[in-house]
Amino acid sequence: MVAKETTKAVSREEIKKAKKKQEEKSNKQEASKVKLRIRLIPIWLRVILVILFMAISLIVGLIVGYGVIGNGNPEDALNKSTWQHIIDLVEKE
């Protein structure tokens, strides 16, 4: 009976060692799967680009709206006097 108890103890230790080895292997595999992401365009540059594209789209929208839809001269959409005239019409009392 003593021999059986020692074989059980050894087998338990072997099982624990095998589990530790498996955990170490899985941790190494997970670590190798994790990739560092290097952004091609940094976040601060993305914010600037979004603001720039919004400004460009606003200007293009003004030109199309005033020139094409409003039957005016597209170049006049960017003149200060045109917008001053529109503001005066809106605020007329």
Side-chain angles (χ1 to χ4, degrees):
M1 287 206 165
V2 176
K4 287 184 179 179
E5 290 178 9
T6 56
T7 57
K8 286 183 181 179
V10 171
S11 65
R12 286 182 186 170
E13 289 176 6
E14 289 175 358
I15 292 172
K16 287 181 182 179
K17 287 180 184 178
K19 284 184 180 180
K20 283 185 181 179
K21 287 181 182 178
Q22 264 185 337
E23 288 177 2
E24 289 174 0
K25 286 181 182 178
S26 66
N27 288 340
K28 287 180 183 178
Q29 289 175 351
E30 288 177 10
S32 66
K33 288 180 183 178
V34 175
K35 295 181 182 178
L36 292 175
R37 180 175 175 176
I38 300 173
R39 290 186 173 96
L40 295 176
I41 302 173
I43 294 175
W44 62 269
L45 185 58
R46 290 180 189 184
V47 172
I48 291 172
L49 287 174
V50 166
I51 292 171
L52 181 69
F53 289 141
M54 289 175 67
I56 290 171
S57 66
L58 176 69
I59 292 170
V60 170
L62 287 173
I63 291 172
V64 170
Y66 189 81
V68 178
I69 297 173
N71 294 328
N73 187 4
E75 294 174 0
D76 288 341
L78 302 177
N79 290 339
K80 184 179 177 182
S81 62
T82 303
W83 294 104
Q84 188 62 45
H85 178 71
I86 292 172
I87 291 171
D88 290 342
L89 289 175
V90 171
E91 294 181 353
K92 183 179 180 182
E93 291 181 8

